[in-house]
Amino acid sequence: MLSVTLRTLRTRWTAFTGSFVALCLGVALLTMMGLALASTITAPERGPERFAAAPVVVKGLDTLRVPTPLGARASPLAHPRPVPDTTVALLRRLGPVVEDRSFPVRAEGGPADLVGHPWSTAAYAPYDLATGRAPRTVDEAVVTGDWAHPGQRIRTGHGTVRVVGTLTPRGFENAVFFTDARAARLGSSTAQLVVHADPASVRKAVGDSARVLTGDARRLADADPGRDREALTAMNALLGTAGGVTAFVSIFVVASTFAFAVAQRRKEFALLRTAGAAPAQIRRSVLAEALAVGVLASATGCALGARGAPLLAARLVDEGLAPAWFTVGEHTWPYHAAFWTGLLVALSGASAASWRAGRTAPTEALREAVMDSGPLTRGRLLCGAALLLTAAVLTALSLVGDPSDLLHRKTYISRPMLLITATALLAPLVLRPLTRLLTCLPSAVGLLVRENTATGVRRTAALAAPVLVTVALAGSLLGATATLRQAKATETRDRTTAAFIVTPAAGAGFDADTLRRLRAVPGARVSPTSSTAVHVLEDGVALIRSEARAATPGALAATTRLPLVAGGPGDLDDDSIIVNEEWRRHRVGDRVEVWLGDGTPRTLRVAAVMPTGTGGNGVYVTPRNAPGARVDRVDVAVEDGTAPASVAPALREALGAGGGRVLAREAWLRATHPDTNRTTRLGLLLVLGIALLYTGISVVNTTVMAASDRVRDLAVLRLAGATRWQLLRLTGAEALTAVTAGALLGVLVTCVNLAGLWSALALLSVRPTLTLPWEALGTTAGVCALLAVATATVPAALALRRRPAILAGVRE
């Protein structure tokens, strides 16, 4: 059997090319992603940046820690506590203390992410003066980079300053340094400070009132110290999802290719059976072919993946998905994982085909007509039915138990795979009537296409299946994200009743003077709100953080329509809280123990309850229960009898130059329309790109494999009087019919998947709108159709160049 296997691989190399390319590409991608994932696991922690030269940094408490029977639970505070004044006084006795106050800055012609610092902290990065000198008066400043030069006067949200020097940029921030006195007035209370003293003495003086940071721990005093870890986590999710889709699609393509190849070789297997080969020998022959292809493809894929991994890492860095220092390290386990996965995929994809090959009867060698009888095997039918039932049961359980689970990214990315696989397995049941419906036009070409696709349903299924998978993936994934975005936009539109929304400058908040001027605008009813958070301990072990808004009840009711299922916004006071149905205790009147945004424990009464919605229905508290929160949004309702056109200019005047923006309701809704997270969007595009690439491989391979079987049929039609153009139209129409059938089934699967999401949104009290990504569906189907028609007609055109009598005499 080994010699038969080798000769088969040599003579039928076209039948195995698609499987080889698919496996090789899959193993290469798995190797690249495995090496990248392994490098994230062993990636070092980023070192300190702003305080790399500081001896000791004391930082205010920024983490809530709650003891539980299973150990302490921690969660970041929305409003970190400043270093207490008494602690600062004790530290000054130990040595020099430099207080750090950071605050956002808006400057004409400057970067959007400018941040202000006191000049005395510049030495701890350390920054070096490139030009000019240090600031000495309150109207002087020093900037990083070359966007301003000494002597230039720039307007900022904190007044006009004169640049007296520039610093060599360090790469981690765009900063403006003021004098210490000016920074103390512009910044908030002391969040952190540098102490020139013995660390042990500092820890003794600080006690439990703050955190003492030394060594690499000083990085925790930098802005967003966890950004690298968050980026690596997001990258892991992206690469893991892409790797899963790669394995899923590759095994699908390999299984489809081997199934079609076995169907083509029925006479060959029948002759071997006639010559005395046992069914087990036939099965071993097919598996040996898969093993040979799998070993060669996996080894080649590992080699390609080793070369591609550094390019992938560089691309991830360029796209901002990985930290700038990220590189691929030396690891061996990704090669083993990718190689053996590729081999397993090859054997798994060929196993079903090998059993069908082993059941080939010797009498098949006597058949002249090639017609598929019973293209759906019992095993395929059972697997498809089981997957279809599993998909239905899982969706039903989610809708009954926790509809919000269907809104999670990991669910709407992974769950559709079940229905897609089930539909692809069961597709032969509906392909014959579907293709007959698509070719019902009364014409000779239509009749031939109808009969050819009906008799060669295996060939049609092999061509339609990858199109189905790709169209269904594109529709389900992009449709889910579009539907969720539309649902969130609908929630925001229904909730916002204010005529105007006032937002501060980037990263800033409104001060008391600005709020007083806004409230003084004639005909305007102002509702200032703040971003905050509350924490609750559920079941005594799980510390749950909920995003919240702090608002004054009366003003809130005038500018916002909260989607309440119980209670009312007017019931909110300093002793109560508005929660949503996700909370374990969410009955009006219940008292819940919470920790506020700065870690203060409180026991509050549930005043009202909101539905879960898409996840944006957070918590509402009063400003008294949001200590440290700065007003970051002001909703403005126009009183009866007041013209909105007269209110908007007055609001802008109250803000002053650079104090923020005033947007009408519709303009604000357009500006804040929810968009897909960039990492999620790139991940979806990567997944769909992989699926489309595999589909192209499968379509090309299937049509090329089928071309050799169609040569005699085309010759007979040519002898019967058909022209070359008619035959080319016939082959193109057959390929186009199969692609259209697969695309229609893909759209059907998309609609079913999105129907589950639509039902979940309806159960969560959201007015959902089913959104189908027609552009992506059309583009995917069009690319598949173009590939199929081209790869079907080109071999046919080459074959028809020979004389029909010679082609008709060809024997398989």
Side-chain angles (χ1 to χ4, degrees), residues 420-474:
I420 292 172
T421 307
T423 307
L425 290 174
L426 300 176
L429 288 176
V430 297
L431 276 178
R432 187 169 290 169
L434 182 57
T435 53
R436 287 186 180 277
L437 180 64
L438 292 173
T439 56
C440 61
L441 295 177
S443 65
V445 173
L447 176 62
L448 286 174
V449 171
R450 182 163 60 251
E451 296 305 320
N452 285 341
T453 53
T455 56
V457 68
R458 286 192 179 278
R459 181 177 65 246
T460 305
L463 186 56
V467 179
L468 185 160
V469 171
T470 306
V471 170
L473 272 177

Side-chain angles (χ1 to χ4, degrees), residues 215-226:
D216 289 341
R218 292 169 297 176
R219 64 181 177 82
L220 299 177
D222 294 333
D224 195 10

